[in-house]
Amino acid sequence: MSELAASEPLDPATRAVTAGRPPRSAGADPNVPVHLSSTFVAHGEIGYGRFGNPTWQALESAIGELEGGQALVLSSGMAAVTAAMSLAPRDATIVAPDCLYSGTNDRLLLAEQHGATLRRVAADDTAGWLSALVGSDLVWLESPTNPLMQVTDLPRVIAAARELGVLVVADNTVATPLLCQPLALGADVVVHSVTKYLSGHSDVVMGAVVTAPTDRGRQLHEQLHRERTLGGGIVGPLEAFLALRGLRTLAVRFAKASASARVLADRLREHPRVARVRYPGTGAMLSIDLDGDAAAAERVCAGTALWLDSTSLGGVESQLERRRRHPSEPASVPENLVRLSVGIEDVEDLWRDLRQALDLP
Ligand SMILES: *Cc1c(COP(=O)(O)O)cnc(C)c1O
């Protein structure tokens, strides 16, 4: 294995399968077991169940390999967001998209209450990013943004931030490491809601932070590890096992869902009840603006049989949701917008179900 890896880098689809396995030896487990231990015999690598766990470590090495860095898993995506924001001082100037995942948005507003200054930029406004970065401490990136599906020019914005010494955090939940690896572009920290594509089966809530394989990255990793240990937002060993089991099929799930998303985006553009399709041209998510009001959007969500009217994304089951039903959703998200997370069901079944919901009187 190591010789093959050294001669030519393995494809991410392969690494999703091979990473985080126990060493191969006669009689060894092919998978890491669920280590249900709150403590460990003294003088070993891990002292206590809040400091580390061998099942977490297997998942962390797999996520780290996919993102090209060193990963730490936390109790939720928001725990990961909070840990990453803790890297900036309380009075930091933070540059962020003007519309992004609502939980992160609320967390930014909380940081503002505690002394931070926020500078907002439209996610696709490269000139806006470049000027807002000057004199800032941290830049928060999310591309494509959730749920408007706006794409940021990550190579340019990250390069500019690095030149200015601005700490770069990228939430890679929607893109996944299969589409984008922000650390390779120069980001300092990647954040994931593991709840979504990485685990992929709507049965785990979890987050991860990944830092670059550089001296600076290792320093940030130590800070984040301390934050997890003292914040106490740790992962259950069974959840870590389930997330790693889900991660094994990331590439096939994402390829299937992305192919279906493309087909659905094309057909939805032609549908008379759809005013606008927001699809970044790749990935497994899209949003549609209905030709109608909030109630029309709610009727579509309530009218499907296969698509699950539920929040969250990235599961094997297709999900849809009118995002503005949440009071915390930024007001720049239209009332009649429905976000679609395409799953791995047959695309013709998905289309039939969606079309009949759109065609309801
Ligand atoms: C869901 C989500 C989060 C938060 O993750 P949780 O696991 O729900 O805490 C953060 N960022 C993005 C882009 C998300 O979609």
Side-chain angles (χ1 to χ4, degrees):
M1 273 305 300
S2 56
E3 272 172 47
L4 185 62
S7 62
E8 207 176 307
L10 296 170
D11 188 86
T14 307
R15 274 183 276 145
V17 174
T18 57
R21 299 278 186 193
R24 284 189 191 185
S25 61
D29 291 304
N31 295 294
V32 68
V34 183
H35 284 265
L36 294 169
S37 300
S38 63
T39 190
F40 303 88
V41 177
H43 312 301
E45 189 204 338
I46 306 170
Y48 182 55
R50 180 159 42 77
F51 307 161
N53 174 286
T55 314
W56 305 352
Q57 287 174 341
L59 174 62
E60 287 168 346
S61 73
I63 295 173
E65 259 199 53
L66 286 172
E67 286 288 359
Q70 198 174 7
L72 285 170
V73 290
L74 292 108
S75 53
S76 66
M78 283 313 300
V81 167
T82 301
M85 283 188 192
S86 79
L87 295 171
R90 276 169 93 85
D91 62 352
T93 295
I94 302 174
V95 189
D98 59 6
C99 187
L100 76 171
Y101 171 66
S102 60
T104 306
N105 193 56
D106 282 348
R107 194 70 194 68
L108 286 167
L109 295 176
L110 206 57
E112 189 178 40
Q113 279 177 25
H114 290 142
T117 301
L118 302 183
R119 289 184 190 164
R120 302 292 199 144
V121 180
D124 54 4
D125 176 8
T126 304
W129 283 109
L130 299 185
S131 66
L133 286 172
V134 178
S136 70
D137 301 289
L138 183 149
V139 57
W140 193 276
L141 298 165
E142 182 182 289
S143 181
T145 56
N146 178 3
L148 293 185
M149 299 292 130
Q150 287 174 315
V151 174
T152 300
D153 185 345
L154 291 184
R156 282 199 60 196
V157 174
I158 292 174
R162 274 182 73 96
E163 206 148 295
L164 293 164
V166 179
L167 188 77
V168 180
V169 181
D171 185 331
N172 207 27
T173 300
V174 172
T176 84
L178 299 175
L179 288 186
C180 176
Q181 293 163 10
L183 296 180
L185 298 173
D188 295 291
V189 182
V190 162
V191 165
H192 269 284
S193 171
V194 178
T195 312
K196 315 290 170 54
Y197 288 106
L198 298 188
S199 67
H201 293 72
S202 307
D203 51 10
V204 165
V205 175
M206 193 184 294
V209 284
V210 197
T211 44
T214 57
D215 285 346
R216 170 100 181 109
R218 276 182 281 277
Q219 206 183 322
L220 294 171
H221 172 85
E222 288 312 318
Q223 267 175 270
L224 290 164
H225 189 268
R226 190 174 151 79
E227 186 67 27
R228 179 179 71 181
T229 297
L230 299 179
I234 58 163
V235 168
L238 179 62
E239 283 74 9
F241 177 91
L242 286 171
L244 182 54
R245 185 182 165 119
L247 185 68
R248 299 299 183 208
T249 56
L250 172 66
V252 280
R253 285 186 282 111
F254 200 69
K256 167 86 177 172
S258 298
S260 298
R262 179 175 295 277
V263 171
L264 295 173
D266 286 343
R267 293 186 188 174
L268 285 164
R269 272 191 207 100
E270 303 299 318
H271 196 285
R273 288 262 170 94
V274 177
R276 179 172 178 183
V277 176
R278 302 167 189 263
Y279 169 62
T282 180
M285 292 198 60
L286 59 151
S287 294
I288 53 175
D289 299 6
L290 271 296
D291 187 13
D293 55 7
E298 284 293 354
R299 274 197 301 278
V300 172
C301 295
T304 56
L306 293 175
W307 294 78
L308 191 67
D309 181 8
S310 63
T311 200
S312 197
L313 57 100
V316 290
E317 57 285 277
S318 293
Q319 291 166 280
L320 85 179
E321 178 181 44
R322 187 179 78 84
R323 285 296 299 175
R324 281 293 296 280
R325 77 185 171 94
H326 301 285
S328 63
E329 190 71 1
S332 46
V333 174
E335 285 281 1
N336 59 350
L337 178 144
V338 174
R339 187 185 69 188
L340 307 176
S341 168
V342 182
I344 63 168
E345 305 92 335
D346 177 73
V347 66
E348 296 304 333
D349 289 337
L350 289 177
W351 172 241
R352 211 152 41 92
D353 188 33
L354 204 52
R355 194 183 48 193
Q356 65 79 28
L358 286 166
D359 289 342
L360 287 174

